């Protein structure tokens, strides 16, 4: 039964976030503080989750919490943009007050400092990333039209619908090679990585779809044939909706929400494969991803942290992924790594021994040669391959 209950941790988090945001004022920071405290505590103090997938699994019950995320995100973001405005668009505030006894008008009035709104942005941006992007990631790996529809709309909450194309057909093919923009390079800071990854991933998604549709005699600009164009229209729809709900303030606020949510995604991309090497053309193996079996990262994020198995078998549903305890391991859970990556010197100091361990224990001979060159070019002190070369 626990395997079904774990799937509802993310929807429960969405509801708790709505409750916190609905109080307005400095309560806007409460969801972020709650996630920070609970996630870090779960990853630091609970035993690592090395459980194996059970033999019997009811796919419908395991998929159900995934499908609830889209309407929950829609309500959360609508409420936030409504609070940025000044009227009562569609009578939403009055309806909430009548049916749930929550006074959003008072919450709006209490939110009268830019620092309060900053809390809202980092909180809701985080939910759009861990709810929308993580769940959308799971669904866009599937072939079902319904799953793809749901997944791509979830990605629209970070204005990143092309992720569903580039990640599946680009990143999973090119991971660990210089051609993959979503593989962090040795010595590269997150701040440099996010610019490179964002631009190059978008361009490559366009190139992939253009080439695929050209073989079918169709145009990438045909909305009936092109997921690339439909995704961009979905992104635009979100901006238009924000404008209609709250005018220019809503439009600007939505841009900030989408930007922050996208950065949460790119930080995750950054540390999931940081510094790892794969010979182009060779099969993707569990060693080409940093894995994490920390309890919170595994169970709240739909087993995304079991990244080694995910890349070895990209189409596998989240509930079938194995722990792979012998795969390369991150030094902290996902939320911990997210915070650490924001401080490049700290991140490099933690990842240097991890990269040394990978070079020694996981890399193939051909990968070790490439890793030596990458280490030399990185400028990172402490990498054993660099020292061995210079000795």
């Amino acid at each position: 039964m626990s395997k079904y209950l774990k799937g509802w941790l993310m929807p429960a988090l969405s509801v708790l976030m709505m409750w916190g945001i609905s109080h307005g004022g400095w309560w806007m920071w409460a969801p972020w503080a709650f996630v920070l405290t609970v996630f870090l505590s779960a990853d630091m103090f609970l035993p690592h989750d090395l459980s194996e997938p059970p033999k019997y699994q009811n796919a419908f019950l395991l998929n159900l919490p995934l499908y609830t995320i889209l309407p929950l995100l829609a309500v959360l973001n609508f409420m936030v943009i409504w609070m940025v405005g000044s009227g009562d668009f569609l009578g939403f505030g009055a309806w909430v007050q009548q049916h749930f006894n929550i006074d959003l008008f008072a919450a709006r009035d209490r939110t009268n400092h830019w620092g309060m709104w900053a809390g809202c942005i980092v909180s809701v941006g985080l939910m759009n990333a861990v709810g929308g992007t993580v769940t959308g990631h799971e669904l866009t790996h599937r072939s079902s039209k319904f799953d793809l529809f749901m997944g791509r709309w979830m990605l629209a909450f970070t204005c990143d619908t092309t992720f569903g194309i580039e990640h599946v057909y680009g990143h999973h093919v090119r991971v660990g090679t210089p051609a993959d923009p979503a593989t962090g390079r040795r010595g590269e800071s997150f701040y440099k990585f996010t610019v490179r990854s964002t631009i190059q991933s978008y361009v490559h998604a366009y190139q992939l779809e253009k080439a695929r549709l050209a073989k079918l005699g169709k145009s990438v600009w045909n909305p009936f044939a092109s997921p690339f164009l439909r995704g961009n229209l979905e992104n635009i729809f979100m901006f238009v909706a924000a404008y209609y709900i709250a005018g220019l303030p809503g439009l600007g606020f939505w841009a900030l929400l989408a930007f922050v949510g996208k950065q949460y995604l790119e930080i995750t991309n950054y540390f999931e494969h940081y510094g790892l090497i794969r010979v182009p053309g060779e099969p993707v193996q569990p060693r080409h991803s940093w894995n994490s079996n920390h309890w919170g990262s595994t169970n709240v994020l739909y087993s995304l942290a079991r990244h080694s198995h995910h890349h070895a078998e990209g189409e596998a549903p989240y509930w079938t992924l194995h722990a792979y305890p012998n795969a390369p391991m991150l030094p902290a859970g996902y939320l911990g790594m997210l915070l650490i990556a924001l401080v490049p010197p700290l991140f490099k100091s933690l990842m240097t021994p991890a990269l040394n361990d990978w070079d020694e224990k996981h890399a193939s001979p051909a990968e070790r040669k490439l890793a030596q060159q990458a280490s030399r070019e990185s400028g990172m002190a402490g990498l054993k391959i660099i020292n061995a070369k210079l000795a």
Side-chain angles (χ1 to χ4, degrees):
M1 179 60 68
S2 64
K3 65 180 179 290
Y4 299 111
L5 294 178
K6 290 176 183 177
W8 291 98
L9 291 173
M10 184 75 78
L13 183 62
S14 304
V15 174
L16 285 172
M17 190 160 290
M18 278 188 269
W19 180 84
I21 296 295
S22 70
H23 285 70
W26 292 108
W27 273 94
M28 294 288 199
W29 282 96
W32 193 82
F34 174 83
V35 172
L36 195 71
T37 302
V38 173
F39 261 67
L40 287 178
S41 297
D43 280 346
M44 291 173 64
F45 301 118
L46 292 180
H48 286 191
D49 186 354
L50 301 178
S51 62
E52 289 300 298
K55 293 182 179 179
Y56 173 75
Q57 299 156 332
N58 186 309
F60 173 78
L61 293 179
L62 290 162
N63 275 322
L64 189 59
L66 300 178
Y67 301 144
T68 65
I69 296 297
L70 182 57
L72 287 171
L73 285 180
V75 173
L76 172 63
N77 283 269
F78 182 94
M79 180 179 74
V80 167
I81 300 300
W82 180 94
M83 292 176 71
V84 173
S86 58
D88 187 15
F89 185 75
L90 297 181
F92 179 71
W95 182 83
V96 170
Q97 191 167 20
Q98 178 183 351
H99 291 85
F100 298 97
N101 198 29
I102 296 175
D103 191 347
L104 292 180
F105 298 99
R108 173 196 278 164
D109 293 338
R110 283 193 295 269
T111 313
N112 52 20
H113 188 276
W114 68 266
M116 300 173 181
W117 289 114
C120 180
I121 290 170
V122 297
S123 295
V124 178
L126 179 62
M127 192 66 238
N128 288 346
V130 300
T133 302
V134 171
T135 312
H137 163 263
E138 169 73 21
L139 294 176
T140 53
H141 267 285
R142 303 179 181 181
S143 57
S144 160
K145 290 184 178 180
F146 177 76
D147 287 345
L148 289 171
F149 173 84
M150 296 286 286
R152 285 172 179 157
W153 269 108
M154 291 177 194
L155 295 174
F157 285 92
T158 53
C159 199
D160 196 25
T161 53
T162 53
F163 175 85
I165 299 169
E166 164 59 19
H167 177 82
V168 176
Y169 303 106
H171 172 61
H172 270 258
V173 174
R174 307 192 298 178
V175 64
T177 70
D180 179 34
T183 295
R185 298 167 184 170
R186 298 186 181 199
E188 183 178 35
S189 73
F190 161 69
Y191 302 100
K192 181 179 179 180
F193 168 85
T194 187
V195 175
R196 178 176 64 81
S197 177
T198 299
I199 296 173
Q200 293 182 12
S201 294
Y202 184 87
V203 171
H204 192 236
Y206 166 75
Q207 293 170 340
L208 284 170
E209 278 301 282
K210 182 180 179 181
R212 182 185 71 86
L213 290 169
K215 294 178 181 179
L216 302 175
K218 298 178 180 179
S219 170
V220 72
W221 304 114
N222 179 349
F224 299 102
S226 173
F228 175 85
L229 181 57
R230 288 199 302 272
N232 278 282
L233 292 175
E234 290 167 0
N235 295 336
I236 294 171
F237 171 84
M238 302 296 275
F239 284 93
V240 173
Y243 176 78
Y244 270 96
I245 295 168
L248 288 176
L251 182 65
F253 199 80
W254 172 252
L256 289 173
L257 279 179
F259 175 79
V260 170
K262 171 66 171 171
Q263 297 315 301
Y264 282 123
L265 162 65
E266 290 298 350
I267 296 175
T268 307
N269 278 338
Y270 174 64
F271 65 69
E272 283 178 332
H273 304 278
Y274 178 81
L276 299 182
I277 305 294
R278 181 174 64 91
V279 176
E282 292 194 357
V284 178
Q285 301 288 346
R287 68 176 182 270
H288 298 126
S289 304
W290 293 110
N291 207 46
S292 171
N293 290 318
H294 294 79
W295 196 95
S297 299
T298 299
N299 291 288
V300 179
L301 301 179
Y302 295 117
S303 296
L304 177 69
R306 293 185 169 185
H307 215 61
S308 290
H309 187 179
H310 169 66
H311 266 272
E313 192 179 356
E315 298 79 14
Y318 76 92
W319 60 84
T320 67
L321 299 180
H322 294 269
Y324 281 21
N326 296 321
M329 291 291 167
L330 288 170
Y334 266 45
L335 185 58
M337 292 303 302
L338 188 151
L339 297 175
I340 291 167
L342 294 174
V343 187
L346 177 60
F347 180 80
K348 290 180 182 179
S349 69
L350 288 177
M351 292 307 295
T352 294
L355 287 171
N356 285 334
D357 185 74
W358 188 86
D359 291 347
E360 179 182 353
K361 298 179 181 179
H362 297 282
S364 68
E367 289 167 347
R368 197 168 291 119
K369 290 182 180 179
L370 294 174
Q372 177 174 305
Q373 179 65 26
S375 294
R376 187 184 305 113
E377 294 173 351
S378 73
M380 289 176 63
L383 289 178
K384 291 181 179 179
I385 285 183
I386 294 177
N387 294 335
K389 183 68 178 178
L390 295 178

